[in-house]
Amino acid sequence: MLSTGTRLVASVAPRAAAEIAGLYSEALSLGADIVELRLDAMGRPDGAAISEALRSPGISCDRLLLTYRSPEEGGLGPLPLYDPAVAALVGDLWRGCSGSMVDLEVEALSRSERLRELAREAVNYSVISKHYNSTPTIDAAERDYARMSGAGRYVKMVFRASSPLDNLLPIALQRASGRGRLIAFCSGHAGLLSRVMSAVLGAPLAYVSLPGRPLAEGQMGPAEFAALVDGVSSALAMGRAERGRAP
């Protein structure tokens, strides 16, 4: 956990169930608090094989985040989360791995009763997510946040940064929402600032990768990301202290 209280989530992309245990152990050894298992990296995942892998010695469900990302939101597989077979798979895996978290795309929820049922069951364990292809207005983003916040424990809003100025939107959202609920940042290399500031401003989770194996542009390894967050947090704290001492 970072000094800001943010937990580090390392995203891993197993190509087969046999790789899960090794990637899980590697992520934790590098300082991750939670391992995001990107099920979409397996194409058409084998539910039985994955369930068996999740029962491997050394894997704790309460340190897992189960994610199947739809292609239209940047996923690696051929099917959307709302596909009936995929929705059933994700639900079965979550129910079989007590204490794990699950990522549920808000747009997929609107298209699948099976996913809405899962969201109701997993309300205290879910990350309600939305990945934007273009940058909305602050008013539109605030409306999305209000709609998403009633559906799960955490809200994840990821915007695409085409310039450094695009970082201002998630930073404004993060500041306005307070600590502990929202995870808002920009993807892309231009979005690095908002990734760091999201954690500095108290996001509950921050997404990192295994070193040299990012699943999204702008992802860093756990140690590199933690050093940046701690450095920025310390600098801001020193600035506040100096202003407090000023006559």
Side-chain angles (χ1 to χ4, degrees):
M1 181 181 292
L2 299 177
S3 59
T4 60
T6 302
R7 291 186 291 172
L8 285 178
V9 179
S11 303
V12 301
R15 293 164 295 181
E19 297 181 1
I20 290 174
L23 290 171
Y24 173 91
S25 297
E26 182 180 1
L28 294 188
S29 72
L30 291 169
D33 300 297
I34 298 168
V35 180
E36 181 187 35
L37 186 60
R38 284 288 299 270
L39 301 168
D40 51 300
M42 290 185 272
R44 298 178 184 271
D46 182 338
I50 296 170
S51 294
E52 183 177 353
L54 296 183
R55 292 192 293 270
S56 300
I59 289 185
S60 298
C61 287
D62 60 1
R63 300 189 76 173
L64 279 176
L65 168 59
L66 304 175
T67 298
Y68 186 100
R69 182 70 63 231
S70 297
E72 56 265 37
E73 300 216 15
L76 305 171
L79 299 173
L81 176 59
Y82 54 80
D83 177 85
V86 174
L89 169 74
V90 172
D92 289 346
L93 290 174
W94 178 78
R95 295 181 184 99
C97 198
S98 179
S100 61
M101 293 194 296
V102 62
D103 184 294
L104 297 171
E105 298 163 358
V106 68
E107 301 305 331
L109 292 179
S110 68
R111 303 180 66 167
S112 170
E113 176 55 36
R114 190 188 296 270
L115 289 176
R116 290 193 291 273
E117 179 182 348
L118 175 57
R120 290 189 289 270
E121 290 183 49
V123 66
N124 294 319
Y125 299 91
S126 58
V127 177
I128 307 301
S129 65
K130 183 175 176 67
H131 293 69
Y132 295 78
N133 293 320
S134 58
T135 303
T137 64
I138 184 69
D139 289 342
E142 287 176 341
R143 288 194 297 270
D144 281 345
Y145 175 67
R147 173 169 63 108
M148 297 165 70
S149 61
R153 181 176 181 182
Y154 302 126
V155 173
K156 179 186 180 187
M157 304 174 74
V158 183
F159 310 95
R160 179 71 184 175
S162 56
S163 85
L165 289 176
D166 290 331
N167 289 287
L168 296 177
L169 172 60
I171 290 173
L173 288 172
Q174 198 74 60
R175 289 187 64 188
S177 70
R179 293 177 174 267
R181 190 83 184 276
L182 176 64
I183 308 129
F185 60 89
C186 286
S187 63
H189 295 299
L192 173 61
L193 174 62
S194 61
R195 284 184 181 271
V196 172
M197 288 305 299
S198 177
V200 170
L201 293 171
L205 307 174
Y207 290 77
V208 296
S209 67
L210 300 182
R213 284 169 278 176
L215 298 189
E217 287 183 331
Q219 273 190 337
M220 291 173 280
E224 182 182 19
F225 185 81
L228 280 172
V229 171
D230 288 345
V232 172
S233 296
S234 296
L236 291 175
M238 289 176 60
R240 287 191 293 267
E242 290 175 0
R243 287 194 298 271
R245 291 193 297 269

